[in-house]
Amino acid sequence: MTSVRAGLGLAVLTAVAVTGCGGPDETDGAPPRDGRPSASRSAPSSTSSSGSGSPSAKPSVSAADGSDVAACADGNCEIAVSAPVTVRFKSPAGPATLSVTEVGPNKVEYTVKSGNGRSQGEAGGPGQGCVTVLRDHGSSNVCGRLGTARPAAQPDAVVIQMTAGADGTAILHIVS
């Protein structure tokens, strides 16, 4: 009887762990891939960065909301990011936090926390980025080559797209 309970407990823990992780899902707002190979979060960066943007650096790429992090509070924004920053916004599971941990030439890393879930994205190389989709019951994440298409809104979801730029400025889109 004890082994049955232990097995049941392990099955429940596995189900809970898997719920927070998802693979690429074309219905989650991720842009089409152009048939080119993509980089995963565990793939090594194809370029090396000799430095990173300083906190006082001005983004050189224009975005609809400039670099105004507060514009993301409602879950809809387009901002340029050239240094680590924390963005707070509304998600289907309640308040969410996106922490950009690294931005550099053709490189971006971030972590998103929403409800009890957590998702990470990391991409390196020209035209590389990540798309994370948050729902009230979990999230999905895909990283690789991104086209110029902006993320599409999804019902009952928040779509986050972070695209690395050659000059060390990343463009962050949050769409509710």
Side-chain angles (χ1 to χ4, degrees):
M1 186 69 164
T2 304
S3 63
V4 171
R5 287 184 185 159
L8 181 59
L10 182 58
V12 169
L13 286 175
T14 301
V16 169
V18 171
T19 300
C21 300
D25 184 351
E26 291 182 17
T27 64
D28 279 344
R33 293 210 177 171
D34 305 273
R36 297 182 188 142
S38 64
S40 70
R41 286 182 287 159
S42 60
S45 173
S46 62
T47 61
S48 62
S49 171
S50 60
S52 61
S54 66
S56 62
K58 288 241 181 212
S60 62
V61 182
S62 64
D65 296 309
S67 59
D68 183 11
V69 174
C72 298
D74 65 352
N76 287 292
C77 66
E78 176 187 81
I79 62 172
V81 179
S82 60
V85 66
T86 299
V87 179
R88 289 173 174 67
F89 60 96
K90 296 176 185 176
S91 80
T97 304
L98 179 142
S99 299
V100 178
T101 55
E102 186 173 345
V103 180
N106 294 315
K107 181 167 179 60
V108 66
E109 290 182 26
Y110 65 90
T111 301
V112 181
K113 294 178 184 174
S114 174
N116 291 329
R118 179 181 161 170
S119 185
Q120 290 180 262
E122 176 182 337
Q128 300 291 308
C130 298
V131 175
T132 302
V133 179
L134 303 176
R135 299 187 187 285
D136 64 353
H137 58 277
S139 65
S140 64
N141 195 57
V142 62
C143 295
R145 179 170 276 302
L146 297 179
T148 57
R150 295 180 183 206
Q154 298 292 317
D156 302 318
V158 172
V159 181
I160 301 164
Q161 178 177 304
M162 178 80 76
T163 308
D167 66 350
T169 299
I171 297 296
L172 168 63
H173 288 95
I174 300 178
V175 181
S176 292

